[in-house]
Amino acid sequence: MVGAAASHGARATKARPVLRMNTFRYRLLWLAIDVVLINAAFVLGYFLRYQVQLFRDILFDAPLSSYLGMQALFNGTLLFFFWTDNVYSIRNASWFDQMSRIVGATIKMPFVVWTAIFILGPTVYSRLMIAQAAVALVILLGLARAIKLVVEARLRRRGIGVSSLLIIGAGELGRAVMRTVFARPDLGYRCVGFVDDDPQRGQTDIGRFPALGETSALPELLKQHAVDEVVVTLPWSAQPRILEIVNMCERLGVQARVVPSILQINYSQVDVNDFGGIPVLGIRGRTVSPVNRLIKRGFDVLVGALISTASLPVIALAALAVRLESPGPAIFTQLRAGANGKPFRIFKLRSMRLGAEKERKRLEALNEADGPMFKIKDDPRVTRVGRIARKLSIDEFPQFWN
């Protein structure tokens, strides 16, 4: 069987990929391309704002050189969010998957730059220009990713850029990997065959996938077939052998991946942690990373402060109308349960007359909601100003302070 593998290996060595698309250098190449496109989008945003004057006329003219500091922040912020959103770490993702991460990272960038303009920059800086540059960037990166996918697909059809793959194990998991490789040539793998310690499986080809013998022949097979990656599909009961194979691949410079036998688990929910030096697999909950939590908090504070400030005149007029119609405070406050059960106080414009809570028992028969909710379509406790405020959602404006 090893002799047969040698004949396969001679052909595999000749077919070794000229260009591999899952290397650090390849990702670094696309990082450099993205930097060029980021700066091109920034210049395009400047052109649209100051030359075309799209959407609004400019009040203060400024040369592009005056934006060098903002351009550096524009670049740094985007690359930081691209890194935290794993834009460059996903392999063989669809155009929509790639763009969803790019758009998510790009949407967060303007708020950082706008904050810097508000705190540090002179009024000559245009916030609209940053937004236009962000839109231009999404378009440029979208076109670049589409071209990238088309070029990669054509190269892979010609055998360029594919990785040689060896599957270890011909059981249910191994066959599932074979079906995936066969059905998804866009993944960029060329399977040289499989090995299995079962005498019958290790000597019986499965379709176009040749059987290359037992795992004991791995060192020779990896060299003869110029294998780039190994996928181990052995059951967890073979943990010692799996560890031996992974260590062997590491010594020979071959990427080894292990498919867990708990295949029912969604891989996006699997988390690898260190337990006192012992690697453990866990199920990742729907948690927000500290970085994203910080970004969200900054976004909430910034947008909440801006909207609250802008809506102050409306809130003041509505509060005055509430006081003129009925006595009592214009702002209604109440304790609510927030994240992790932590109580917080909400603020709303009062839309009912004073003592409305005490009238609830008297109106219980008119309640149209189930459970603890209490709702009446034409609630007699709602004032005329309150009815208008509710219809226009003005009574909710103070909640931006929450």
Side-chain angles (χ1 to χ4, degrees):
M1 182 59 65
V2 174
S7 63
H8 282 295
R11 293 193 299 270
T13 304
K14 293 179 182 178
R16 189 174 181 85
V18 177
L19 173 67
R20 285 158 56 180
M21 300 177 184
N22 191 35
T23 62
F24 175 76
R25 290 184 179 181
Y26 189 70
R27 290 194 292 268
L28 194 61
L29 170 64
W30 272 101
L31 175 63
I33 293 174
D34 284 351
V35 170
V36 173
L37 294 177
I38 287 171
N39 287 279
F42 191 89
V43 174
L44 182 57
Y46 176 85
F47 175 79
L48 293 174
R49 184 69 190 98
Y50 286 92
Q51 302 301 321
V52 181
Q53 299 189 26
L54 192 63
F55 300 123
R56 289 176 56 188
D57 294 337
I58 58 172
L59 299 178
F60 303 98
D61 194 9
L64 181 60
S65 58
S66 65
Y67 275 93
L68 288 179
M70 284 299 113
Q71 187 173 1
L73 181 62
F74 188 86
N75 278 260
T77 305
L78 277 168
L79 293 177
F80 172 77
F81 287 137
F82 283 178
W83 173 68
T84 57
D85 289 2
N86 299 315
V87 170
Y88 301 107
S89 63
I90 48 177
R91 175 191 168 103
N92 301 316
S94 68
W95 184 86
F96 290 102
D97 289 337
Q98 295 184 53
M99 290 309 299
S100 66
R101 299 195 181 198
I102 289 173
V103 171
T106 305
I107 286 176
K108 292 179 280 191
M109 175 275 301
F111 296 101
V112 176
V113 179
W114 287 340
T115 302
I117 291 175
F118 179 77
I119 297 175
L120 304 173
T123 57
V124 70
Y125 287 149
S126 171
R127 292 181 294 274
L128 180 57
M129 192 210 90
I130 301 300
Q132 291 172 340
V135 174
L137 177 63
V138 170
I139 295 173
L140 290 177
L141 292 181
L143 291 174
R145 290 308 189 274
I147 295 172
K148 171 177 177 282
L149 291 176
V150 171
V151 171
E152 287 180 353
R154 291 186 177 182
L155 290 175
R156 283 167 175 166
R157 281 197 293 269
R158 296 170 56 187
I160 301 174
V162 297
S163 299
S164 298
L165 181 71
L166 177 65
I167 300 173
I168 299 179
E172 181 181 350
L173 289 180
R175 292 169 183 263
V177 173
M178 295 178 200
R179 288 192 295 268
T180 301
V181 171
F182 177 75
R184 294 284 308 278
D186 57 292
L187 294 177
Y189 289 111
R190 178 178 60 84
C191 184
V192 301
F194 65 90
V195 294
D196 197 292
D197 286 336
D198 182 279
Q200 184 177 358
R201 289 178 178 175
Q203 298 179 13
T204 306
D205 294 349
I206 301 177
R208 62 175 62 190
F209 300 97
L212 302 179
E214 301 179 357
T215 58
S216 59
L218 268 179
E220 295 84 1
L221 292 174
L222 295 179
K223 296 176 182 178
Q224 292 168 359
H225 290 265
V227 174
D228 296 310
E229 296 188 27
V230 164
V231 174
V232 183
T233 64
L234 300 178
W236 282 113
S237 57
Q239 286 184 22
R241 185 55 179 153
I242 293 174
L243 187 59
E244 291 177 7
I245 292 172
V246 171
N247 291 334
M248 178 197 309
C249 292
E250 184 178 357
R251 288 195 305 270
L252 297 175
V254 177
Q255 174 71 51
R257 303 180 188 276
V258 180
V259 180
S261 57
I262 44 175
L263 193 60
Q264 297 83 356
I265 294 179
N266 189 333
Y267 292 129
S268 63
Q269 297 176 352
V270 175
D271 194 15
V272 182
N273 292 301
D274 182 270
F275 186 76
I278 303 173
V280 294
L281 291 178
I283 306 302
R284 186 186 301 123
R286 297 182 179 273
T287 58
V288 182
S289 68
V291 173
N292 288 333
R293 188 183 298 275
L294 180 63
I295 293 170
K296 182 184 182 302
R297 179 57 179 164
F299 175 83
D300 290 345
V301 172
L302 177 62
V303 175
L306 291 175
I307 295 179
S308 297
T309 303
S311 61
L312 275 178
V314 178
I315 295 175
L317 291 175
L320 179 61
V322 170
R323 288 298 305 272
L324 290 175
E325 183 181 13
S326 63
I331 302 296
F332 169 78
T333 65
Q334 190 179 54
L335 283 176
R336 297 282 178 88
N340 301 319
K342 183 179 180 180
F344 73 99
R345 188 172 296 277
I346 67 163
F347 301 92
K348 296 178 64 175
L349 277 172
R350 181 169 58 83
S351 58
M352 292 184 176
R353 58 177 176 251
L354 284 180
E357 284 295 322
K358 298 177 181 179
E359 299 180 48
R360 177 171 173 172
K361 187 174 182 179
R362 179 175 61 85
L363 301 172
E364 196 70 43
L366 301 177
N367 184 20
E368 301 173 0
D370 297 325
M373 296 290 293
F374 187 84
K375 186 176 182 180
I376 303 175
K377 184 177 181 181
D378 295 316
D379 198 321
R381 300 172 298 171
V382 178
T383 63
R384 288 175 298 176
V385 173
R387 189 166 283 109
I388 297 173
R390 286 187 174 188
K391 187 175 182 180
L392 300 177
S393 298
I394 297 175
D395 61 321
E396 306 288 351
F397 280 10
Q399 290 206 61
F400 283 106
W401 287 107
N402 295 334

